Amino acid sequence: MKIARQGRSMKLSRMFISCALFCASCVTVAGAAAPAADFEKLRREYVLFFLARNPVVSTYLGGSAIDGSLANSDGELRDYSAAGIATEDARLAAFLEELEEISPATLPAADRIDRDVMCAQIKFQLHQHRVRRYQERALDTYVDTPFRGVDWQMQGMTRTGDSTFGTEREWTLLTERVERIPAYMKTAESQLAAGIVDGNTPDWRMLRADGIDTLV
């Protein structure tokens, strides 16, 4: 059940990001209409913003090798603080406004699909944060994310010998990520406490699977 819950949101993110990164890496056709060029720029900005805000997803997709702005992402964890979510939502809303100003009719077919997927994903994220306030009860996410970040990071390390892996830089970033875990969990505790006050708590099955059973 835990895998299924997390899978639904993560699959949408991964499928879109993989597709968008591929499209964003394509060279713009000479003489392309301005709206298409504007969309390509906006799409790349959004992809990099999403990966920067979700560093564990960035690790999973190899974001640090995609763009220099993500070079330190493997040493970070997601900022789930109230202030962090508010800042993120403001930028997401701005992205959505910019996307909706671009008429689909001015875009090539592939870009129209990407535009629709981007709009859908942004609306989903805003709905999760602002309406469902999922960050106040995301116990499974808070428990799984640090582990996944370290696990995927170690799996992707460079082979340095017959039985050794990881460059000095890779191990430094891994150490930085591990050192961020206490503060990350403190933020999680704060968000979950706010959810208790609001009556917005995790399902009892999640409490058992991701809380009680993990301590036994």
Side-chain angles (χ1 to χ4, degrees):
M1 292 178 63
K2 174 176 66 178
I3 295 174
R5 284 195 303 271
Q6 189 177 19
R8 284 192 293 271
S9 59
M10 291 293 283
K11 282 180 181 178
L12 175 62
S13 298
R14 292 170 187 165
M15 290 172 64
F16 162 69
I17 293 295
S18 297
C19 176
L21 283 171
F22 172 79
C23 294
S25 67
C26 297
V27 178
T28 305
V29 178
D38 291 343
F39 173 74
E40 181 179 359
K41 178 175 179 293
L42 184 61
R43 175 176 55 199
R44 182 167 183 82
E45 289 177 356
Y46 172 65
V47 168
L48 295 179
F49 173 80
F50 180 91
L51 291 177
R53 284 293 307 168
N54 295 271
V56 171
V57 176
S58 179
T59 295
Y60 180 81
L61 295 173
S64 60
I66 293 169
D67 189 272
S69 65
L70 300 170
N72 296 321
S73 61
D74 290 341
E76 300 171 356
L77 289 171
R78 180 157 161 68
D79 179 8
Y80 276 107
S81 68
I85 294 292
T87 299
E88 178 179 335
D89 285 351
R91 187 66 186 99
L92 288 174
F95 273 123
L96 184 60
E97 183 177 349
E98 292 180 75
L99 285 167
E100 291 180 336
E101 288 176 353
I102 299 176
S103 171
T106 64
L107 300 175
D111 287 352
R112 288 199 298 272
I113 294 172
D114 282 356
R115 176 189 174 277
D116 289 347
V117 173
M118 289 167 68
C119 288
Q121 190 194 34
I122 291 172
K123 290 176 180 177
F124 170 78
Q125 292 175 86
L126 291 174
H127 182 76
Q128 287 284 83
H129 296 162
R130 294 176 172 179
V131 180
R132 301 191 68 220
R133 303 196 314 281
Y134 186 67
Q135 63 274 11
E136 294 182 351
R137 54 189 173 85
L139 182 60
D140 55 337
T141 298
Y142 291 138
V143 171
D144 286 349
T145 296
F147 165 74
R148 295 299 178 193
V150 172
D151 180 36
W152 289 334
Q153 200 167 346
M154 293 183 71
Q155 288 186 42
M157 282 186 168
T158 303
R159 179 183 286 275
T160 55
D162 292 338
S163 59
T164 58
F165 295 85
T167 64
E168 181 178 355
R169 174 62 175 166
E170 288 170 341
W171 281 108
T172 296
L173 289 172
L174 179 65
T175 300
E176 291 176 359
R177 176 168 279 174
V178 170
E179 290 176 343
R180 291 178 186 272
I181 292 176
Y184 171 90
M185 297 307 293
K186 196 69 178 177
T187 297
E189 181 182 8
S190 176
Q191 286 285 21
L192 291 169
I196 292 173
V197 172
D198 295 338
N200 183 34
T201 57
D203 183 88
W204 69 267
R205 287 161 293 193
M206 187 184 296
L207 288 171
R208 183 169 187 85
D210 296 283
I212 299 172
D213 287 353
T214 59
L215 300 175
V216 176

